[in-house]
Amino acid sequence: MMAGFEPQIIAFCCNWCTYAAADLAGTSRMHYPPNVRIVRVMCSGMVDPIYVLKAFEGGVDGILVAGCHLTDCHYIDGPVKCDETVNKLREVLHVLGLEDKRLRREMVAASEGVLFAQVINEMVEDLKKLGPSPFKAKTEALA
Amino acid sequence: MEEIRTGVYICHCGLTIAGVVNVEELTEYAESLPNVVVSREYRYMCSDPGQDLIKKDIKELGLNRVVVASCSPRMHEPTFRKTVEDGGLNPYLYEHANIREHCSWVHDDKELATKKSKDLVRAAVKRVFHHESLVTREIPLNPNVLVIGGGIAGMQAALDIADGHNKVYLVERDPSIGGHMAQLDRTFPTLDCSECILTPKMGDVGHHPFIELLTYSEVEEVSGSIGDFKVKVRKKARHIDESKCIGCNLCEEKCPWKTDSEFEAGMAKRKAVYIPFAQAIPNIAVVDADLCAYIQSDGKKCGACIKLCDAGAITPETLLKQTDEIVELEVGTIIVATGYDQFDPSVIPQYGYKKYDNVLTGLEFERITCAAGPTEGKIVTKDGRPVESIGIVHCVGSRDENYHEYCSRVCCMYGLKYAHLSKEMANADVYEFYIDMRCFGEGYEEFYKRLSEEGVNFVRGKVARITDEAQTDEEQGKLIVVSEDTLLGKMIRVPVDMVILCSALEARSDAENVGKVFNINRRADGFFLERHVKLDPVATPTDGVYIAGCCEAPRDIPDTVAQAEAAAGKALSLISKGTVTLEAAISTVDEAICHGCGRCEEICAFSAPNVVTKNGTLVSSVNEALCKGCGSCAVVCPTGAIAIKHFTQDEILAQVSALTEA
Ligand SMILES: Cc1cc2nc3c(=O)[nH]c(=O)nc-3n(C[C@H](O)[C@H](O)[C@H](O)COP(=O)(O)OP(=O)(O)OC[C@H]3O[C@@H](n4cnc5c(N)ncnc54)[C@H](O)[C@@H]3O)c2cc1C
């Protein structure tokens, strides 16, 4: 798409699994592109739709919502609740005209540093193909 | 509102951060952010002088917010919260930016890494603006401890804790405690008899006034949290009256129904009613209900044991009516010591395990050399011939990408132990097929050297296959070990009478389930994951739950015991403090805007919020002892009345919008 376009990604990661997986990717010195900024939440089920919508409104190109696998949850069933939030969000994003691939939902366990790096790599690639978020242009025009 | 005065501290972490991130530029940038009064960089912020910088600034510059950008908050957030508290602020007026694990360790482009660090610091500064002082709560800790698994790890931990006069419940799945160590004959490198060092400990556990043993039992459910766990244990029906059985073993002698003995690694039979081994603790019988004809025929067949049992421990009632019992326990801490499984080498078909009678695993050979074992300690083939030559194959299932990548740590040493025993007991020719010899422990290298002098043949190379297809007269009637010899640089064929496979230690087949019950994660290799591999090796991410022994990774007995004592130490330190500090970051309800709709009550997995009537209106009220701070209630609340302290919408949105400001 755009030459030199570097997508901006925000990742909401649960404290117990995916945040720890990102730490593990670090301690294992696995390299992945610097396009992602992680926001720590206690549980993926804590991610409020408003956080995702505000981030898109602010112009980010992609969002990752990631936490424990269904069976690893520190709070019993957080991932189920997170899935519900994400499914509802997908409908809203559809109406807003945002491509499905801009919101990614993953379960990454504390031991899966490799998977975390892989997910970020894939997202950056996917988002490069999609180009900047249509909201980015709007936000910039308003500014 | 008071003026917000923030201090930002950038850690170099030696060169691990400063080598990638331009810390001077970052510090200067931080100083330009709103409400930042001071910004400093330092080589090691976590060191005492680093922490002193913060404390001094709080006092002298009147800081009321602090941000440190360094390693993961999972590593040092607690450290700096404490610093801030020592400096006179509430510990929650602190925010941590992770510029090491999430930045300098995963990126190498200095410019982009510096830019990312600036974003993370900006987000932290904007977030901390909204932080509020929170109060932690202290609850009493139940001093009782639950230990799962009665192997050497679980027994040692239980004894350490009970010796301090604290109550321990020791839950063992098998009918007797002892674990794998009870099956071993002699232990490397000292070759002392396993039974001689283990059985006194088993006795101590069995008789200890502070240990309550629940054998033939498994934990089904754990609820609650550190200090206050509620545990349901299924005590399986033994089908005998435990209080009457005197362990005379007459029932077993006369019982006509046989199956492979688990204790003898399938090398001998046991009966449908049995005591697993001579030194079992408790020394009482158990009935295998699936095998017992009386139980299976609903009392129509057999019943020999009933007639023989003078003690009245086995009766038609115990056999037909006794059912599993659910025991409920309350404990403050839990130690999981469930051990390992031996890798089943029959999944490597070229090694011929189960195909050839005289290809054995380590545990099977342990039973052969044991004087109380099926061959009375004679090293003989399945059909009773003396063994003149033995091949010992290392790394079966470990250090092998197709099975387990890791090294099982004990196999080299037990392989060497078998070499020595084969020489000593059978004067056999011994061939050790190894890849690398790993003799790392105290006295281990010396043991290896001693064996080299005893005339053991060491062949360096991976065994390709084991076959009985002879190519020469000399190979007739033998097992032939076909191996590479990397020192000679060619393939060799070695005919032997018996082959021992040094099989890997692997995670228990039910580790996933056990992990779920106790909320312990597992590594990719299946073993339980510790909180920190170097600095917190027996803790798990679940507070109050510890791990010890081979359930965490393969290890020898000395290391297992050390780890068990470490886990016991953790529990004892909690007990001596007597209380637990609970997280302050839990939900809170703004009663002014709550409608009492009950969505929070519906979604909560811990039943923390409840809709109650206050002053004639319905509002939600949160039970602080039950709330874990997961935040699901805040997501579903239609009015925004319920919020999670320290993870409020204001705080997270400030962070998010700071990140979109790129
Ligand atoms: C062939 C062989 C030879 C060896 N020789 C030596 C040697 O000479 N010297 C040496 O230092 N080390 C040796 N080792 C290693 C030694 O066996 C281990 O270090 C030691 O046994 C580990 O003890 P553990 O308590 O962690 O595990 P285990 O011995 O496996 O004990 C775990 C216990 O937990 C119980 N359990 C499991 N799951 C549950 C559950 N869900 N609920 C309740 N209970 C449960 C089990 O029944 C068992 O009793 C050898 C290992 C092998 C395979």
Side-chain angles (χ1 to χ4, degrees):
Chain A
M1 253 300 298
M2 254 172 66
F5 163 62
E6 286 298 336
Q8 211 190 338
I9 301 169
I10 289 184
F12 294 95
C13 298
C14 99
N15 178 60
W16 308 101
C17 290
T18 312
Y19 195 93
D23 278 358
L24 180 61
T27 26
S28 327
R29 312 297 197 278
M30 285 166 200
H31 281 215
Y32 56 81
N35 304 53
V36 62
R37 311 282 182 268
I38 294 176
V39 173
R40 180 162 68 133
V41 287
M42 292 312 287
C43 175
S44 56
M46 175 185 263
V47 177
D48 196 303
I50 191 96
Y51 304 158
V52 174
L53 293 173
K54 281 279 182 195
F56 276 128
E57 188 188 59
V60 299
D61 303 292
I63 291 177
L64 169 67
V65 178
C68 304
H69 288 270
L70 289 174
T71 51
D72 297 342
C73 179
H74 209 74
Y75 308 105
I76 303 175
D77 58 356
V80 180
K81 293 163 180 167
C82 179
D83 279 345
E84 281 166 22
T85 306
V86 169
N87 290 340
K88 275 185 217 145
L89 268 169
R90 290 207 185 283
E91 288 168 27
V92 179
L93 297 187
H94 185 72
V95 176
L96 293 175
L98 275 178
E99 300 88 337
D100 210 45
K101 279 206 167 159
R102 293 197 187 273
L103 175 61
R104 185 153 169 170
R105 164 81 175 109
E106 282 292 337
M107 295 179 194
V108 183
S111 56
E112 294 175 320
V114 181
L115 178 60
F116 180 80
Q118 183 192 326
V119 167
I120 300 304
N121 272 311
E122 286 172 10
M123 278 189 83
V124 170
E125 237 168 73
D126 287 348
L127 291 168
K128 278 191 176 167
K129 280 187 208 135
L130 284 177
S133 153
F135 281 22
K136 185 168 251 160
K138 280 180 206 155
T139 338
E140 273 160 19
L142 284 174
Chain B
M1 195 186 148
E2 62 166 351
E3 182 204 352
I4 301 296
R5 297 175 64 79
T6 309
V8 179
Y9 300 85
I10 314 289
C11 181
H12 296 198
C13 195
L15 278 179
T16 54
I17 292 173
V20 182
V21 173
N22 184 333
V23 286
E24 289 82 21
E25 191 183 323
L26 179 59
T27 313
E28 213 170 287
Y29 171 77
E31 190 126 27
S32 73
L33 293 168
N35 300 90
V36 174
V37 184
V38 62
S39 168
R40 299 187 198 278
E41 33 149 330
Y42 192 70
R43 189 163 295 146
Y44 292 104
M45 275 314 298
C46 59
S47 67
D48 282 348
Q51 296 188 46
D52 287 343
L53 281 179
I54 302 178
K55 289 186 223 170
K56 195 159 158 265
D57 284 351
I58 294 176
K59 294 221 167 69
E60 291 179 1
L61 304 174
L63 300 183
N64 52 20
R65 297 289 187 282
V66 172
V67 170
V68 175
S70 60
C71 51
S72 171
R74 291 165 52 89
M75 178 94 188
H76 273 316
E77 186 177 56
T79 313
F80 293 116
R81 278 190 176 168
K82 178 84 180 26
T83 312
V84 166
E85 193 173 18
D86 291 347
L89 288 183
N90 182 281
Y92 287 88
L93 299 174
Y94 170 78
E95 177 64 6
H96 196 102
N98 183 345
I99 59 167
R100 191 179 76 174
E101 280 82 343
H102 292 187
C103 191
S104 69
W105 274 353
V106 284
H107 309 313
D108 44 18
D109 182 316
K110 294 188 177 175
E111 201 179 310
L112 292 176
T114 306
K115 181 173 180 298
K116 178 168 176 178
S117 300
K118 286 182 185 175
D119 290 350
L120 295 175
V121 167
R122 182 175 64 245
V125 166
K126 300 243 165 136
R127 188 191 204 278
V128 83
F129 181 90
H130 297 274
H131 283 200
E132 286 172 17
S133 298
L134 300 180
V135 208
T136 50
R137 299 156 299 148
E138 297 277 321
I139 59 152
L141 173 112
N142 182 328
N144 299 345
V145 181
L146 172 68
V147 177
I148 316 298
I152 183 62
M155 287 195 284
Q156 185 65 49
L159 284 171
D160 281 8
I161 296 164
D163 283 346
H165 287 200
N166 303 290
K167 172 95 187 185
V168 179
Y169 298 100
L170 177 57
V171 175
E172 165 59 50
R173 169 163 63 192
D174 285 348
S176 168
I177 55 171
H180 281 106
M181 194 176 162
Q183 287 176 286
L184 304 182
D185 173 35
R186 261 160 274 190
T187 55
F188 63 73
T190 43
L191 300 177
D192 34 1
C193 125
S194 186
E195 223 166 76
C196 310
I197 54 178
L198 185 73
T199 44
K201 256 195 207 304
M202 290 171 62
D204 290 348
V205 169
H207 302 132
H208 205 296
F210 284 91
I211 298 179
E212 186 171 328
L213 205 49
L214 292 122
T215 50
Y216 211 41
S217 301
E218 264 175 88
V219 172
E220 295 223 311
E221 204 183 300
V222 176
S223 60
S225 52
I226 177 169
D228 181 26
F229 290 108
K230 304 217 169 15
V231 184
K232 281 197 183 128
V233 180
R234 175 175 295 271
K235 215 166 169 293
K236 289 173 276 185
R238 271 181 188 259
H239 293 289
I240 61 142
D241 183 339
E242 287 181 36
S243 63
K244 292 193 179 144
C245 177
I246 53 165
C248 69
N249 225 10
L250 262 181
C251 51
E252 179 166 14
E253 276 166 31
K254 294 288 167 329
C255 173
W257 314 100
K258 282 185 197 161
T259 187
D260 285 346
S261 156
E262 295 83 358
F263 179 78
E264 296 293 353
M267 310 282 289
K269 299 286 176 194
R270 64 144 168 93
K271 303 290 184 59
V273 57
Y274 66 107
I275 295 180
F277 53 101
Q279 298 79 6
I281 300 277
N283 186 26
I284 53 177
V286 52
V287 180
D288 178 343
D290 294 334
L291 191 64
C292 169
Y294 188 83
I295 295 179
Q296 290 304 319
S297 68
D298 208 11
K300 293 190 188 71
K301 289 190 194 148
C302 193
C305 53
I306 304 175
K307 285 166 225 144
L308 279 164
C309 185
D310 282 342
I314 310 185
T315 65
E317 278 67 49
T318 61
L319 288 177
L320 298 178
K321 300 267 155 59
Q322 204 179 75
T323 52
D324 294 358
E325 192 189 329
I326 301 291
V327 182
E328 297 195 16
L329 308 174
E330 292 186 359
V331 297
T333 37
I334 297 177
I335 295 174
V336 177
T338 46
Y340 64 93
D341 280 340
Q342 185 181 246
F343 170 79
D344 174 4
S346 59
V347 304
I348 311 180
Q350 61 272 28
Y351 284 176
Y353 180 66
K354 292 261 158 84
K355 180 173 169 200
Y356 304 121
D357 279 347
N358 296 309
V359 176
L360 306 177
T361 65
L363 283 178
E364 287 165 346
F365 192 69
E366 294 284 345
R367 299 316 304 152
I368 285 196
T369 57
C370 180
T375 59
E376 288 165 347
K378 285 194 258 327
I379 302 179
V380 289
T381 59
K382 183 96 181 252
D383 53 8
R385 282 179 295 125
V387 169
E388 287 161 8
S389 51
I390 286 195
I392 301 172
V393 183
H394 288 223
C395 297
V396 176
S398 11
R399 303 186 69 205
D400 183 335
E401 279 176 4
N402 300 315
Y403 308 101
H404 299 303
E405 242 178 279
Y406 57 80
C407 161
S408 283
R409 288 174 62 110
V410 295
C411 323
C412 280
M413 285 306 295
Y414 79 64
L416 291 174
K417 170 173 80 176
Y418 299 155
H420 172 83
L421 294 176
S422 306
K423 284 251 154 228
E424 184 187 79
M425 299 165 70
N427 197 21
D429 284 335
V430 181
Y431 299 86
E432 295 261 350
F433 299 88
Y434 71 102
I435 308 179
D436 298 293
M437 199 59 87
R438 297 189 164 173
C439 310
F440 52 87
E442 198 181 309
Y444 290 10
E445 184 64 26
E446 293 84 338
F447 186 68
Y448 174 32
K449 235 174 123 196
R450 185 172 130 202
L451 281 189
S452 314
E453 284 155 16
E454 281 177 17
V456 174
N457 304 295
F458 290 99
V459 181
R460 188 169 187 276
K462 194 152 175 71
V463 170
R465 64 179 196 281
I466 292 154
T467 174
D468 63 355
E469 285 164 30
Q471 288 182 358
T472 60
D473 285 350
E474 191 205 356
E475 288 180 0
Q476 284 302 336
K478 302 266 184 184
L479 289 165
I480 302 109
V481 183
V482 184
S483 174
E484 64 177 337
D485 184 331
T486 55
L487 299 180
L488 293 179
K490 61 173 194 185
M491 294 300 285
I492 56 167
R493 293 171 63 90
V494 181
V496 292
D497 296 317
M498 179 180 272
V499 175
I500 311 169
L501 302 176
C502 296
S503 245
L505 276 63
E506 62 183 15
R508 289 262 180 205
S509 58
D510 64 347
E512 187 180 349
N513 255 330
V514 173
K516 266 186 227 161
V517 170
F518 296 99
N519 216 339
I520 313 175
N521 290 338
R522 296 190 308 146
R523 279 192 299 271
D525 61 19
F527 289 98
F528 292 144
L529 180 70
E530 64 289 272
R531 183 177 279 182
H532 191 284
V533 58
K534 292 182 194 128
L535 302 179
D536 218 352
V538 298
T540 69
T542 308
D543 290 332
V545 177
Y546 303 97
I547 45 182
C550 289
C551 63
E552 191 265 330
R555 49 170 50 84
D556 55 15
I557 295 164
D559 283 2
T560 297
V561 170
Q563 221 190 9
E565 303 206 297
K570 286 276 184 188
L572 286 168
S573 110
L574 282 171
I575 294 169
S576 84
K577 181 174 173 226
T579 58
V580 222
T581 312
L582 286 192
E583 184 45 66
I586 54 167
S587 16
T588 165
V589 179
D590 181 346
E591 293 182 359
I593 47 175
C594 175
H595 286 181
C597 69
R599 285 288 290 126
C600 51
E601 195 178 317
E602 282 161 31
I603 196 135
C604 181
F606 305 97
S607 314
N610 277 300
V611 177
V612 297
T613 314
K614 261 194 198 165
N615 304 327
T617 47
L618 288 176
V619 288
S620 173
S621 160
V622 176
N623 180 341
E624 298 203 337
L626 294 178
C627 179
K628 302 273 181 291
C630 76
S632 59
C633 52
V635 176
V636 298
C637 176
T639 63
I642 203 161
I644 304 301
K645 294 180 204 164
H646 210 60
F647 286 88
T648 63
Q649 273 204 9
D650 284 349
E651 288 163 347
I652 295 181
L653 285 178
Q655 195 178 1
V656 168
S657 79
L659 289 175
T660 61
E661 274 169 34

